[in-house]
Amino acid sequence: MAKAPDAGGTMDMGARRLRLGIAVALLLLVVLALRLVFIQGVDASGHAQDAMDERLRSVTVAPERGSILDSQGRVMAASVARYDLVADQRLVKDYRRWDSETSTMVDVELADSLDRLSGILGVDRAELEARMVGDRPYKVVSKGVTPDVKDRALELGIPGLLAEPVSERSYPNGSVAGSILGFVGGDGTPLEGLELSQDEQLSGTPGTRTYEIAADGVRIPNAEFSETPAVDGQDVRLTIDQDVQWFAQEAIAAKTESYDALWGNIVVMDAKTGDIIAMADSTTVDPSDPTATDGLFWRPTALTQSYEPGSTGKVPTFATAFEEGGVEPTDAYTVPNKQEFDGQIINDSMPHDTYEMTAAGIFTRSYNTGTVQVAQSVPDQTRYEYMKKLGIGEHLDIGLPGSNKGILVPPEQWDGRQRLTTMFGQGYTQTTLHMAQVFQTIANGGVQKKPQLIDAYIDPDGSEHVQPEHEGTRIYSEQTAEEMLRLMEGVVQEGTATPAQIPGYRVGGKTGTGEAAGVGGYNGYTTSFTGVAPLDDPRFVVAVAVHRPQGNWKTWEVEDTAADVLSYLLTQYNIPPTDAEPQNYDVFTDDPQKRPW
């Protein structure tokens, strides 16, 4: 027979289990109590800080980007106040608002407010509702709206609709100096020009703003708040005069169009300081819409495009011959139309009789055969060294990206013909900015001043950091410089640049036409002129170049464009005429001075 269960043993087992459960519960309570004591007593501040850290949110406070100003302090690029409208969709719903007319709270249906907001923003009603209604804590509704649009939108009182200040770049003068200023992307990233190269100065230093949020992610009003202010960027003041820049752009655009050329450019430089007053292109990018313009014109072609200068390159040749070769402007030379030098035949552009000419006359008529005779007075190495001193074949750093140094190889790499062609501006390349610097050196008494585009950096508090003017490097003596100015005056009075004359002023300059290299060899030209005025006390250098003009080269004329710009400068800067007599040298060693070309 089976034995019946012991009722007393079963009860003892149940009691033991109960006591064990109670013991475990007490142990857990003790552990929790000890933990609570540790949290609230031993490490209360640490855990409170951890909790606070979880509730704090930090956001970056963007600084205001500095402006770019012209030489007179006029704004050429600036950041304007704009706002991004954003929504916390969790809060967007029907609401009540105060009606000032009835002095009562009124119910407002969200649908009605969205209808009105759609009209204010110019956003499709269905699209607007998709942006406003949902469960997302942050949704962009409209970007970059004006202060007026922002105010009208917020006046609706829609809960959860907020405005965040943002900065948008504005270029009030449109395309004026567009290739110099550059532009920024849609997200504010600098992409070209000064906007890119001067970004460190313009951008400033971001700040931070820290605030406390609730569990639902919404900021707690009147809770802890701290801010490290942003430091706004510096303004950049240029040497550019926006009025002259505009005039030069209009002038070169008209000239380039008239010859159906690929491009044209103008550099206007202060002869005494090297300051760049204007740097104009025939086509100029609008920084507000850069993709509408060919990328070639996103940067100044006067800085980026090099070409063989042609006869404007005779300026270093003659100046170096005067300085180092013992040549005088009135020295006599026999100048044929064609001449052989060391087995190489050099021709002038058009047939002419053999003339007895002065060195100055050779320059005036721009004869290649006579130029080579003058240049042979100095060794090739000496001539090359002076070209390098003038900046030819060197990068010109004016604070913009894309500088083209051109091509000038040393004499040991010249072949028998190149050593001759470099004497009259062929066999090497340079930019229009290089050419302006060469003429600035002559116009400034033989002292070169480095070209300068940035005049000063201005702190947000108005403190100015003016960039030091280049001390200057003497390249040629005052005598050589003065003789060269008189040679240039001869070009304008009696030579190839008579359209550059300006009544009441003494003007000098030099024309040039160089072959343009292309696929398979030379297949075009670059025509140019660089002028200086007034010669009594040189103030301005204006260099003009037009690349690949169409038609007959004999009809190309850019001296008149330079004269227009020089005339504008003389008027704008209140430089009165002197009506002084020209001081150019005779062209021929004996009379008559008027002879066929």
Side-chain angles (χ1 to χ4, degrees), residues 68 180-181 192-199 202 238 399-400 453:
I68 302 176
I180 298 172
L181 300 175
E192 280 291 352
L194 291 169
E195 295 281 23
L196 176 62
S197 67
Q198 303 303 305
D199 182 55
L202 290 166
L238 308 182
L400 280 175
L453 179 63

Side-chain angles (χ1 to χ4, degrees), residues 451-526:
Q452 188 160 318
L453 179 63
I454 297 173
D455 176 56
Y457 297 100
I458 304 173
D459 293 336
D461 64 3
S463 301
E464 294 191 5
H465 306 276
V466 177
Q467 298 302 287
E469 182 182 320
H470 185 252
E471 292 183 0
T473 302
R474 179 163 292 283
I475 308 297
Y476 296 113
S477 66
E478 290 187 29
Q479 179 181 344
T480 293
E482 178 59 31
E483 290 170 346
M484 287 302 303
L485 289 178
R486 292 179 65 184
L487 260 67
M488 293 179 191
E489 187 171 27
V491 174
V492 173
Q493 289 296 318
E494 306 287 347
T496 58
T498 54
Q501 295 176 13
I502 301 174
Y505 298 90
R506 293 177 58 211
V507 180
K510 186 71 187 78
T511 54
T513 302
E515 291 186 281
V519 178
Y522 290 107
N523 57 6
Y525 296 89
T526 305

Side-chain angles (χ1 to χ4, degrees), residues 79-155:
S79 293
V80 295
R82 292 292 183 267
Y83 296 86
D84 288 347
L85 295 179
V86 300
D88 183 343
Q89 294 178 335
R90 300 168 303 176
L91 305 178
V92 177
K93 55 188 177 181
D94 295 339
Y95 59 100
R96 305 189 75 201
R97 65 173 299 174
W98 180 257
D99 188 332
S100 58
E101 293 184 1
T102 62
S103 298
T104 60
M105 297 294 293
V106 296
D107 293 325
V108 180
E109 292 188 6
L110 177 62
D112 293 338
S113 292
L114 291 182
D115 288 340
R116 296 176 62 189
L117 184 60
S118 174
I120 293 171
L121 300 180
V123 176
D124 177 75
R125 174 62 170 74
E127 174 62 24
L128 179 63
E129 183 168 349
R131 298 177 190 177
M132 291 286 294
V133 178
D135 57 5
R136 299 176 62 177
Y138 186 92
K139 177 68 175 178
V140 175
V141 177
S142 186
K143 296 178 68 69
V145 303
T146 65
D148 175 64
V149 171
K150 180 263 297 184
D151 291 342
R152 291 163 58 201
L154 294 185
E155 282 176 2

Side-chain angles (χ1 to χ4, degrees), residues 16-287:
R16 285 196 297 271
R17 289 176 178 171
L18 177 61
R19 287 194 294 270
L20 178 61
I22 292 172
V24 171
L26 289 173
L27 179 61
L28 291 174
L29 287 173
V30 170
V31 170
L32 290 173
L34 291 174
R35 181 61 178 167
L36 184 60
V37 169
F38 178 77
I39 291 173
Q40 294 187 342
V42 179
D43 192 30
S45 61
H47 285 275
Q49 185 61 49
D50 289 342
M52 177 60 74
D53 289 344
E54 290 183 2
R55 296 197 303 272
L56 292 180
R57 293 293 182 269
S58 293
V59 295
T60 299
V61 179
E64 182 174 331
R65 189 170 181 82
S67 299
I68 302 176
L69 314 174
D70 86 334
S71 59
Q72 308 302 313
R74 294 170 291 193
V75 175
M76 303 186 79
S79 293
V80 295
R82 292 292 183 267
Y83 296 86
D84 288 347
L85 295 179
V86 300
D88 183 343
Q89 294 178 335
R90 300 168 303 176
L91 305 178
V92 177
K93 55 188 177 181
D94 295 339
Y95 59 100
R96 305 189 75 201
R97 65 173 299 174
W98 180 257
D99 188 332
S100 58
E101 293 184 1
T102 62
S103 298
T104 60
M105 297 294 293
V106 296
D107 293 325
V108 180
E109 292 188 6
L110 177 62
D112 293 338
S113 292
L114 291 182
D115 288 340
R116 296 176 62 189
L117 184 60
S118 174
I120 293 171
L121 300 180
V123 176
D124 177 75
R125 174 62 170 74
E127 174 62 24
L128 179 63
E129 183 168 349
R131 298 177 190 177
M132 291 286 294
V133 178
D135 57 5
R136 299 176 62 177
Y138 186 92
K139 177 68 175 178
V140 175
V141 177
S142 186
K143 296 178 68 69
V145 303
T146 65
D148 175 64
V149 171
K150 180 263 297 184
D151 291 342
R152 291 163 58 201
L154 294 185
E155 282 176 2
L156 297 176
I158 302 174
L161 181 63
L162 304 171
E164 295 181 343
V166 294
S167 179
E168 185 175 291
R169 212 59 173 159
S170 171
Y171 303 91
N173 301 303
S175 65
V176 174
S179 60
I180 298 172
L181 300 175
F183 49 87
V184 300
D187 61 354
T189 301
L191 298 177
E192 280 291 352
L194 291 169
E195 295 281 23
L196 176 62
S197 67
Q198 303 303 305
D199 182 55
E200 181 177 349
Q201 291 76 20
L202 290 166
S203 60
T205 305
T208 58
R209 182 180 295 122
T210 303
Y211 55 88
E212 190 175 351
I213 62 172
D216 61 1
V218 178
R219 179 179 172 182
I220 301 174
N222 302 320
E224 182 173 331
F225 173 83
S226 65
E227 182 172 0
T228 300
V231 178
D232 292 339
Q234 293 177 303
D235 292 342
V236 179
R237 187 172 66 219
L238 308 182
T239 59
I240 296 291
D241 181 324
Q242 70 177 23
D243 291 339
V244 179
Q245 177 74 27
W246 172 82
F247 188 90
Q249 285 182 202
E250 293 292 303
I252 193 60
K255 178 60 68 174
T256 303
E257 183 180 7
S258 71
Y259 291 140
D260 194 22
L262 183 61
W263 53 257
N265 55 44
I266 294 177
V267 174
V268 179
M269 187 177 287
D270 187 311
K272 298 182 183 298
T273 66
D275 287 352
I276 299 172
I277 301 172
M279 191 159 53
D281 284 298
S282 52
T283 299
T284 307
V285 62
D286 183 345

